[in-house]
Amino acid sequence: MGIDDGDDDGAIDDRGGAPAPAEEVPGSLAEAPVPWLHDALEQAETAALLPAVAALTGDVSVLREDLRVDPILSMMPGAEVPEAQLAEARRAALDALVRFREGGGQPAPPPSPADLRAMLDFVVGGAPVDDYVELFREELHIEGADLRAPAWSLEAIAPDRHVRAVVIGAGMSGLLAAHRLGQAGVDVTVLEKDVDVGGTWLENTYPGCRVDVPNQFYSYSFLQRDDWPQHFSTQEVLLDYFRDAAVTMGVRDRIRFGTEVSSMRWDDGRAVWVVATRDRDGGEGTVEAEVVVSAVGQLNRPKLPDIDGMERFAGPSFHSAHWDHSVGLAGKRVAVIGTGASAMQLIPAIAAEVGHLDVFQRTPAWLIPTEDYHDRVSPQQAWLFRHLPGYAHWYRFWLFWRNAEGMLPLVTVDPDWEPEGESVSALNDLLREFLTQYLREQFGDDPELLAAVTPHYPPASKRVIRDNGIWAATLRRDDVSLVTDPIAEITETGVRTADGTVHEADVIVYGTGFQASRFLTPMQVIGRDGVDLHERWGGDARAYLGVTVPGFPNLFLLYGPNTNIVINGSIIFFSECEVRYLCGLLELLVSGGHRALECRPEVHDAFNAEVDAGNRTMAWGVATVNSWYRNEHGRSAQNWPFTLLDYWQRTRRPNPDDYTWC
């Protein structure tokens, strides 16, 4: 999620992209005057532009070594690519496009494997690329086909078999699962506790709510938009995207809204799950299915802090995820407890409205400069996405690398690194210094405030927050106070800190995050031999590939244990991998004439040992700072410590030997 900017220049066009007079925008590449094309290319990302031009024209000579941008350099806050290099790259692209049009404008055939590798290599800056070719073929849709769709159907491999699936949740992952299972001919029912689709983007309506992953990467690979209004969409825009997706994918009519799952039990004799439901009026029912897919996510149950006296407060109080829009904030004294992602999004959004704002911070967050965080997509950028063939796909891949694989070296532990405590390697220390320099630029003329907002733990030990300068601008306001003294209690009139000060408040907002490690709560899940899943886990959730659990046949988890990404990627990419994996398992189940599949315990245990060892090599696995990245046992049950390529490879085709079949 992210923050709304509260610009004073009028309402944002949240549906149609950046406004521009129609007569000023060419309708195609062929119609674009050279001056317009020049201006548009001035706003292109050259790491995506030149491969797109090479693929369109067939002229790979534009992929010059001297024009390639080091992806590590491009990720470092404050690091700048030489302007002369950017100008030369755009000139080369313009020349190639002009020659392309003069030659008739016929797109080149799909690139050869060698040319594709050259294009990919240009983006990744010399990193090993061969293993990524097939992954990028999927991501880039080079053949124009949805390569992640099921390549099988019940009608084709078992025409006499009827398979029912219950999908729990109609958020991003649930809609995706319903779509893919439906493509395979499975009879799908989606149970959704809310009244609409969207999951977290339906429930979180606090002021300033915004995604912190660029739109082109935070969207389904097979359902891209070329008219995102901003680079990082607001909650309303994303909710509309998922609403539209539900209709486009044809799954909305399969959803039972206002229906919450209270429990489910595996019936081994009949090889079905019996799912108990409760509607919004308290009515109870059951649904039976051979397959259950839990798509309830990790960040769906708000976490309230354990502070004495919370019940005594006389005024309104609520969690950011349950924002009470009936409570007016204008002119009031407001206390916001927490400075995590949601809090740092909502605080600037309400600061100008309230009378006085007290911000209670336990641990400061690292801020990563993101200049375009609240910016609209310009007419020129929108034109490139719509009318320069291939640019949107290569831009998505550039985001994939820049925000995913390329970031891992910056947060990987060097066991020989001696300056322990605030960094975990030389690269991590370089990142820390870049981020610290950004804080100095923002707060440097206020030493006391700078000291308060500067973290003293390795970057990526907990969530890094995007910022475009608005955090400093907010904390500098005369009507905003940053409070770092520990909270002792909540009183009838406000918040008392350990130094004895009572900070009077009319409204208290808890921006204190979610119960991320309590997977599948509050549902009761009873598997084979009457085993309770939560008792089995004991507060330490584990699953094979985050998807399957021994003793719980035909149960599949999406956004399950150890499938959260910290600094490398988009959860939608993970969900697409997971859903393809479960569809592959169902193909094996049906084609083999089996009733149930179950992960082998030894496979599950070996995988989790590997993941635990991997997390201990990452900043979040060794740092001691408080973070939702670890559960009550101190283990990271949330995070994936390896590359996206690794997860894609592991989930591309199921290994039948990992499972028992009956």
Side-chain angles (χ1 to χ4, degrees):
M1 297 177 188
I3 182 169
D4 200 357
D5 53 359
D7 284 345
D8 295 327
D9 58 351
I12 293 172
D13 174 8
D14 280 341
R15 294 289 303 192
E23 65 273 16
E24 296 182 9
V25 180
S28 68
L29 176 60
E31 298 171 3
V34 171
W36 167 270
L37 192 54
H38 174 275
D39 291 346
L41 296 184
E42 284 291 305
Q43 298 190 33
E45 290 291 346
T46 61
L49 171 65
L50 292 180
V53 170
L56 172 65
T57 65
D59 181 6
V60 295
S61 69
V62 299
L63 304 174
R64 291 162 36 188
E65 180 66 27
D66 63 309
L67 301 182
R68 185 166 63 182
V69 177
D70 182 344
I72 295 293
L73 175 66
S74 73
M75 288 181 289
M76 286 293 186
E80 296 183 359
V81 180
E83 187 57 41
Q85 177 182 340
L86 295 176
E88 177 61 18
R90 289 161 179 157
R91 186 199 63 77
L94 179 62
D95 289 349
L97 290 173
V98 170
R99 290 194 302 271
F100 170 73
R101 296 196 310 189
E102 291 174 348
Q106 290 300 313
S112 68
D115 285 349
L116 178 59
R117 279 194 293 272
M119 296 169 194
L120 297 173
D121 185 67
F122 185 85
V123 178
V124 305
V129 74
D130 285 351
D131 290 342
Y132 287 86
V133 171
E134 289 305 314
L135 167 59
F136 295 150
R137 281 188 177 277
E138 289 183 7
E139 280 292 308
L140 297 174
H141 285 223
I142 288 176
E143 288 83 5
D146 180 4
L147 299 179
R148 291 177 181 163
W152 62 278
S153 69
L154 278 174
E155 183 178 3
I157 65 175
D160 296 328
R161 184 157 180 184
H162 182 226
V163 177
R164 299 166 296 175
V166 163
V167 176
I168 306 173
M172 176 275 295
S173 293
L175 295 176
L176 175 64
H179 173 53
R180 294 303 197 200
L181 291 171
Q183 286 180 314
V186 175
D187 182 0
V188 180
T189 299
V190 183
L191 305 177
E192 170 54 56
K193 63 181 173 55
D194 288 321
V195 296
D196 202 351
V197 303
T200 191
W201 300 111
L202 175 70
E203 296 176 355
N204 285 269
T205 61
Y206 57 81
C209 185
R210 180 189 298 267
V211 73
D212 59 5
V213 176
N215 294 318
Q216 282 78 8
F217 201 19
Y218 193 84
S219 49
Y220 300 123
S221 65
F222 58 92
L223 202 59
Q224 291 289 291
R225 269 182 69 169
D226 61 10
D227 62 345
W228 292 107
Q230 294 171 277
H231 297 281
F232 297 84
S233 284
T234 58
Q235 173 262 334
E236 296 92 341
V237 173
L238 283 169
L239 179 57
D240 281 346
Y241 172 78
F242 289 114
R243 283 170 169 163
D244 291 344
V247 174
T248 300
M249 295 187 295
V251 301
R252 190 176 181 92
D253 59 355
R254 301 178 180 178
I255 305 171
R256 297 186 187 179
F257 293 110
T259 304
E260 184 168 14
V261 172
S262 55
S263 67
M264 50 184 164
R265 179 181 294 272
W266 174 252
D267 185 328
D268 200 43
R270 296 188 297 140
V272 298
W273 283 97
V274 181
V275 181
T277 64
R278 182 182 303 110
D279 64 29
R280 300 176 77 85
D281 296 324
E284 297 182 347
T286 59
V287 181
E288 293 188 353
E290 288 77 19
V291 172
V292 168
V293 180
S294 171
V296 298
Q298 293 185 21
L299 306 179
N300 67 320
R301 297 288 171 177
K303 179 181 180 181
L304 289 170
D306 183 15
I307 302 174
D308 288 341
M310 290 172 59
E311 73 286 351
R312 296 202 305 265
F313 182 64
S317 63
F318 45 85
H319 192 278
S320 61
H322 292 159
W323 194 269
D324 189 343
H325 291 277
S326 69
V327 177
L329 302 182
K332 293 185 178 179
R333 298 167 300 178
V334 178
V336 177
I337 296 176
T339 52
S342 298
M344 291 182 71
Q345 295 156 0
L346 71 90
I347 288 166
I350 66 173
E353 177 185 5
V354 305
H356 187 85
L357 182 60
D358 282 318
V359 177
F360 293 85
Q361 171 188 279
R362 180 172 61 170
T363 308
W366 284 112
L367 307 181
I368 188 164
T370 307
E371 186 177 353
D372 62 354
Y373 192 28
H374 298 154
D375 290 353
R376 296 172 179 169
V377 175
S378 72
Q380 291 81 7
Q381 291 166 325
W383 185 89
L384 289 169
F385 290 133
R386 293 169 187 162
H387 298 300
L388 181 57
Y391 178 71
H393 292 305
W394 282 101
Y395 184 80
R396 176 180 166 92
F397 167 49
W398 174 75
L399 292 173
F400 174 97
W401 191 266
R402 185 176 185 270
N403 293 281
E405 311 297 66
M407 291 294 290
L408 281 180
L410 303 179
V411 299
T412 301
V413 174
D414 177 358
D416 297 323
W417 181 246
E418 292 187 0
E420 298 178 358
E422 296 197 12
S423 60
V424 297
S425 69
L427 279 176
N428 189 248
D429 199 57
L430 181 61
L431 176 60
R432 181 194 61 79
E433 184 54 41
F434 272 123
L435 299 180
T436 301
Q437 180 58 33
Y438 177 69
L439 293 175
R440 293 190 190 112
E441 294 169 0
Q442 296 289 311
F443 297 95
D445 60 349
D446 189 333
E448 184 177 352
L449 191 54
L450 174 62
V453 300
T454 301
H456 294 285
Y457 55 84
S461 299
K462 61 186 300 174
R463 188 166 179 176
V464 180
I465 309 298
R466 291 191 183 274
D467 180 64
N468 61 352
I470 199 170
W471 186 240
T474 300
L475 295 187
R476 288 174 176 278
R477 295 177 62 100
D478 293 337
D479 51 5
V480 176
S481 300
L482 180 66
V483 182
T484 59
D485 289 313
I487 296 174
E489 65 172 341
I490 306 295
T491 71
E492 291 82 356
T493 61
V495 181
R496 184 174 70 81
T497 48
D499 64 356
T501 303
V502 175
H503 302 266
E504 301 290 341
D506 301 310
V507 180
I508 296 177
V509 177
Y510 295 102
T512 48
F514 299 85
Q515 303 174 46
S517 62
R518 299 186 63 187
F519 293 88
L520 275 69
T521 56
M523 296 183 292
Q524 183 185 52
V525 183
I526 306 297
R528 185 169 45 79
D529 301 326
V531 175
D532 185 293
L533 179 61
H534 295 295
E535 291 180 3
R536 164 77 64 83
W537 278 343
D540 190 14
R542 298 174 184 267
Y544 178 52
L545 296 171
V547 178
T548 58
V549 182
F552 295 83
N554 295 7
L555 173 65
F556 305 96
L557 314 182
L558 303 181
Y559 201 11
N562 293 112
T563 60
N564 182 64
I565 59 273
V566 176
I567 200 167
N568 60 318
S570 163
I571 191 59
I572 296 185
F573 173 86
F574 258 69
S575 293
E576 290 197 31
C577 291
E578 292 162 347
V579 170
R580 177 164 64 180
Y581 182 74
L582 77 85
C583 286
L585 286 172
L586 291 185
E587 179 184 13
L588 293 173
L589 180 82
V590 173
S591 62
H594 308 296
R595 299 194 310 160
L597 62 90
E598 184 180 333
C599 181
R600 293 181 180 274
E602 65 273 17
V603 172
H604 169 276
D605 294 348
F607 167 79
N608 277 277
E610 183 183 0
V611 167
D612 288 348
N615 273 319
R616 289 192 292 270
T617 70
M618 309 307 290
W620 58 82
V622 299
T624 58
V625 64
N626 61 286
S627 168
W628 64 265
Y629 289 164
R630 291 189 300 277
N631 63 21
E632 62 192 80
H633 299 278
R635 173 181 170 268
S636 179
Q638 288 79 24
N639 296 338
W640 177 252
F642 308 122
T643 63
L644 301 189
L645 171 68
D646 187 79
Y647 195 76
W648 176 83
Q649 290 174 328
R650 291 173 186 249
T651 56
R652 192 180 185 194
R653 295 186 185 90
N655 181 357
D657 294 338
D658 291 342
Y659 291 85
T660 57
W661 307 84
C662 66

